Amino acid sequence: MLKNRILLYILFTTALFASCAKRGAITGGPKDTIPPHIISSSPQNMSTQFKGSEIRINFNEYIKIKDINKQLIISPPMDTQPYITPMGSASKFINIKIKDTLKENTTYSFNFGQSITDNNEGNPYSQFKFVFSTGTYIDSLTLNGRIKDAYSNKTDNFVTVALYEADETFNDSTIYKQRPRYVTNTLDSMVQFSLQNLKEGKYHLIALKDANNNYKFDPKSDKIGFLNQTIDVPNDTIYQLELFQEKRPYKPRKPVQVNSNRLYAGYEGDYRGMKVVVKNGEGTEVIPTLTTKVKDKDSLQVWLPRKITADSLKVTVSNKDSIKDFTVKFKEMKTADSLKIDALQKGGLHFREKFTLSSLTPLISIDSSKISLIDKDSLALKYTLKYDDLKQELVFDFEKKEEQKYTFTLLPGALKDFYEKENDTLSYKLATKTYIDYGNLRLTLQNAKRFPIMVEVIGSGGKVEAFYYTEGETKINFDNLVPDKYTLRVYYDDNKNRQWDTGSYMDKIQPEEVIYMPKTIDVRANWDPEETFDIKGGG
């Protein structure tokens, strides 16, 4: 009897410990990494002679739809977007109600991109396509290519690539007004594109960074890339389209009052040559003004005298053959502008830099006899100065030496601004390093197709730190570069204006060709790296 009790006790204790052990070992199991898949649809995928207006797609598990407005690509585009349910809630099906009138004998493709995911882990059913035809067969031809930016080394995402039929109805205004025959999108991570389910024919190939997502070209907001010739489908060629923003034609905007002594005169396009004349409300008296550029904005700022009593101003904005008159209501506002000078370089000055002072208000008088430059031995040094009226910057140039200390002193009255305000005593101390603190890049250009060429050295922050304009020279030295990782960019300056020029769709002008060196160049202190830039092989 005692043995039986002992045996029962042992069995009970063992079971108790086993139960406790099982409680501590419960886990959620392995993570689900398998995307959902279709078990049926009505009609079936790749169906022909489709006459309905509704599609249902059934999945093996609960799914969610996300970012459908960005991810879903319907080709050909529909004037009225279909109604897709359910949105925002888990379901085992997708229902598509077509609200547009379908074209006869046409293959339609619904590419869902990354928008379909499983409900629990978010695993995407990547690039799922539902295809049907209103005719008797599915068009199956394909056209492939890639996108790049015409100027930047970084390509935009979500670029629309479109085909327009090259028939008698197509003209230069078509892409501004009509949707394309076929369309695809590079979505958020690709530069390659593939136009699928195409019909044999001749087409115009267009790429758009379509800000409005309306499949129409709006030059104010969209980038465009195009080929100058039509293409034939089928075709095995891998086409490259280069995106660029067109330079808009010049157009003045109505000036606006900023404060009691300043207007902003906005514009579109090229402002060079733009002039602004301000008169009193009756238009009988010209008010003396100065015009400068607003940094990083498409506006000029028009500086007015302190005391203006008029209720309105007549502002005439002209540029070449364009003359536009505006009336600006004038009201009393706080005067916010006064003479203030700021140094762009503080403490240190690199050998490639020029010491620059920026003025908050425009300067009208500079007395160099009240400006001195001395070194650490108190020796007076020669310098040259130049005032940039538009930028409101005073630039000093002088011979800089190693490990030297310089002091610029501007005595009272050295500078006078538009409002007759003069500076108090200003003093700026600057120091240089040694040449071994910098690197020197020795560059050789190879396989240039033509000249002139602009060579630009771009720092890791994206700023052009050095440049060279060559009309035939292929060995170029960039001395005294700040240690950094640099990118090299060249462009063919075909119109010889020393600046990169964009293209024009209406004029069928491609942007000037830009080539990047495929690798970055590590310039270190006291290094003289020698690099060869094969322009033909650049990216």
Side-chain angles (χ1 to χ4, degrees), residues 27-132:
T27 66
K31 183 178 179 180
D32 179 17
T33 59
I34 301 174
H37 64 265
I38 294 174
I39 56 175
S40 64
S41 67
S42 177
Q44 290 187 355
N45 202 355
M46 308 298 289
S47 290
T48 58
Q49 295 184 319
F50 179 79
K51 305 299 181 184
S53 61
E54 192 166 338
I55 299 168
R56 182 183 172 104
I57 306 170
N58 300 307
F59 293 85
N60 67 317
E61 61 177 306
Y62 283 98
I63 57 99
K64 279 188 175 180
I65 302 174
K66 64 177 184 178
D67 296 331
I68 192 72
N69 291 332
K70 294 182 70 175
Q71 294 284 341
L72 178 62
I73 306 162
I74 303 174
S75 182
M78 295 181 174
D79 292 329
T80 304
Q81 288 294 98
Y83 183 60
I84 300 177
T85 56
M87 298 292 288
S89 60
S91 172
K92 281 192 172 185
F93 69 90
I94 293 175
N95 201 67
I96 303 172
K97 291 185 178 180
I98 299 172
K99 296 185 175 183
D100 208 2
T101 301
L102 300 179
K103 300 176 183 178
E104 294 183 358
N105 300 316
T106 299
T107 298
Y108 283 87
S109 169
F110 286 66
N111 187 333
F112 286 83
Q114 301 287 102
S115 63
I116 300 174
T117 66
D118 68 23
N119 182 51
N120 294 323
E121 301 294 342
N123 298 310
Y125 188 180
S126 186
Q127 306 299 323
F128 164 61
K129 287 177 62 178
F130 192 89
V131 179
F132 64 86

Side-chain angles (χ1 to χ4, degrees), residues 160-432:
T160 297
V161 184
L163 284 176
Y164 293 82
E165 289 179 299
D167 56 23
E168 65 278 358
T169 66
F170 184 90
N171 55 53
D172 286 342
S173 65
T174 299
I175 68 170
Y176 300 86
K177 300 176 181 179
Q178 298 180 22
R179 292 172 177 243
R181 171 70 177 186
Y182 298 106
V183 67
T184 189
N185 194 287
T186 61
L187 297 181
D188 55 354
S189 62
M190 296 184 293
V191 295
Q192 286 80 24
F193 66 83
S194 181
L195 285 152
Q196 300 177 354
N197 300 113
L198 309 179
K199 181 177 293 186
E200 181 178 352
K202 188 180 292 290
Y203 297 94
H204 296 273
L205 179 61
I206 305 289
L208 295 176
K209 177 58 179 174
D210 187 7
N212 296 323
N213 292 320
N214 62 357
Y215 301 107
K216 298 174 185 177
F217 178 40
D218 182 355
K220 290 184 178 181
S221 58
D222 298 345
K223 288 183 179 180
I224 188 171
F226 65 94
L227 298 181
N228 284 32
Q229 72 281 355
T230 59
I231 62 172
D232 293 311
V233 175
N235 195 323
D236 292 333
T237 303
I238 305 298
Y239 291 98
Q240 178 168 286
L241 295 171
E242 299 194 4
L243 286 172
F244 61 90
Q245 184 84 51
E246 286 190 344
K247 182 182 290 185
R248 286 174 281 169
Y250 168 76
K251 180 182 178 181
R253 299 196 192 105
K254 183 177 181 178
V256 295
Q257 184 180 358
V258 180
N259 55 38
S260 63
N261 58 293
R262 193 149 46 105
L263 305 176
Y264 274 2
Y267 58 83
E268 295 179 7
D270 189 355
Y271 73 92
R272 289 173 297 181
M274 184 172 165
K275 296 179 180 179
V276 182
V277 176
V278 180
K279 296 181 181 180
N280 61 6
E282 293 75 27
T284 58
E285 179 186 352
V286 174
I287 297 173
T289 61
L290 278 181
T291 303
T292 62
K293 180 76 173 64
V294 182
K295 186 177 181 181
D296 299 327
K297 290 186 178 180
D298 291 340
S299 290
L300 298 182
Q301 47 192 353
V302 183
W303 299 85
L304 306 170
R306 290 288 189 207
K307 294 182 180 180
I308 294 180
T309 57
D311 294 330
S312 64
L313 300 175
K314 301 292 185 183
V315 183
T316 300
V317 182
S318 62
N319 189 350
K320 299 175 183 176
D321 297 331
S322 171
I323 300 176
K324 185 78 172 179
D325 292 318
F326 299 95
T327 298
V328 178
K329 290 184 178 180
F330 193 76
K331 54 187 176 181
E332 288 190 15
M333 300 175 69
K334 183 179 179 180
T335 301
D337 305 308
S338 60
L339 178 61
K340 181 182 178 182
I341 304 297
D342 188 31
L344 299 190
Q345 297 85 21
K346 294 177 172 64
L349 188 66
H350 297 303
F351 289 107
R352 298 188 67 90
E353 292 181 319
K354 295 179 181 179
F355 181 57
T356 303
L357 297 177
S358 176
S359 175
L360 183 61
T361 50
L363 302 178
I364 61 170
S365 175
I366 301 168
D367 188 348
S368 59
S369 69
K370 295 181 180 181
I371 304 175
S372 63
L373 170 62
I374 61 172
D375 63 14
K376 63 183 178 182
D377 299 320
S378 298
L379 295 176
L381 304 177
K382 292 182 179 180
Y383 63 86
T384 60
L385 62 84
K386 183 178 181 180
Y387 181 63
D388 188 322
D389 299 273
L390 279 177
K391 293 182 179 181
Q392 299 172 219
E393 291 181 349
L394 185 59
V395 181
F396 295 90
D397 195 13
F398 62 96
E399 183 182 358
K400 295 177 282 291
K401 296 183 179 180
E402 293 182 277
E403 294 187 298
Q404 183 59 266
K405 294 182 178 179
Y406 301 100
T407 302
F408 270 99
T409 303
L410 288 77
L411 297 176
L415 308 176
K416 182 187 294 186
D417 75 357
F418 180 61
Y419 302 106
E420 301 293 323
K421 296 294 183 180
E422 297 183 348
N423 64 290
D424 296 325
T425 299
L426 301 172
S427 182
Y428 304 95
K429 296 184 180 298
L430 305 162
T432 57

